[in-house]
């Protein structure tokens, strides 16, 4: 029992020592470059490493969400969007990406709700307005 506690304490200490927001930002930048080159699986690997370095980074979760959307892995993208909202409920782009996932999954009522939630925070957000109009047109 004592050995298990010691192993867990060591693992927790190692995880804490691994956290480095500066290196996480470097991985995010590399991931963004790969995203622009349409190398989505490689971008996800960079974003994953960035999240290991900084598990509270809203930007990395948001970027990984966009990458999963490009790969049409909407359930996984939705988890990242929800995580963004959990970390920062005022981050409007997360609501837009969440709504995009719901739209592509043909859950239009959920997409409209997510767009509305984003518009409550930022009423003039272009992405939310255009996305909501697109969803209404689809319906």
């Amino acid at each position: 029992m004592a050995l298990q506690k010691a192993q867990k304490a060591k693992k927790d200490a190692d995880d804490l020592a691994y956290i480095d927001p500066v290196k996480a930002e470097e991985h995010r930048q590399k991931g963004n470059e790969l995203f622009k080159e349409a190398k989505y699986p490689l971008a996800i690997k960079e974003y994953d490493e960035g999240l290991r370095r900084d598990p509270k980074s809203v930007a990395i979760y948001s970027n990984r969400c966009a990458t999963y959307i490009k790969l049409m892995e909407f359930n996984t993208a939705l988890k990242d969007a929800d995580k963004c909202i959990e970390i920062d409920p005022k981050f409007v782009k997360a609501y837009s990406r969440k709504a995009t996932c719901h739209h592509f999954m043909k859950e239009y009522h959920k997409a409209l709700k997510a767009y509305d939630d984003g518009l409550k925070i930022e009423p003039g957000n272009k992405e939310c307005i255009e996305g909501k109009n697109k969803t209404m047109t689809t319906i």
Side-chain angles (χ1 to χ4, degrees), residues 11 13 20 40 42 53 67 84 92 97 100-102 109 111 118 131:
K11 183 185 179 303
D20 184 355
Y40 304 123
L42 296 175
R53 293 283 186 179
T67 308
C84 282
V92 177
R97 295 207 168 135
T100 301
C101 293
H102 285 303
H109 61 289

Side-chain angles (χ1 to χ4, degrees), residues 35-86:
F35 182 89
K36 289 175 187 170
E37 297 170 11
K39 297 178 180 175
Y40 304 123
L42 296 175
I44 285 180
K45 287 181 183 178
E46 287 296 330
Y47 294 139
D48 287 344
E49 182 60 27
L51 287 171
R52 280 194 282 283
R53 293 283 186 179
D54 186 6
K56 297 286 184 196
S57 175
V58 176
I60 298 175
Y61 275 111
S62 177
N63 292 353
R64 191 172 73 170
C65 176
T67 308
Y68 280 128
I69 289 171
K70 289 286 188 182
L71 292 171
M72 295 187 185
E73 294 185 28
F74 303 118
N75 287 324
T76 311
L78 196 56
K79 289 176 187 173
D80 280 352
D82 286 335
K83 187 68 175 178
C84 282
I85 293 168
E86 177 186 319

Side-chain angles (χ1 to χ4, degrees), residues 23-31 46-47 49-50 53:
K23 288 185 180 176
E25 180 62 21
E26 290 172 12
H27 286 289
R28 186 182 73 83
Q29 293 297 334
K30 287 180 191 173
E46 287 296 330
Y47 294 139
E49 182 60 27
R53 293 283 186 179

Side-chain angles (χ1 to χ4, degrees), residues 2 10 79 125:
K10 181 181 180 337
K79 289 176 187 173
N125 186 279

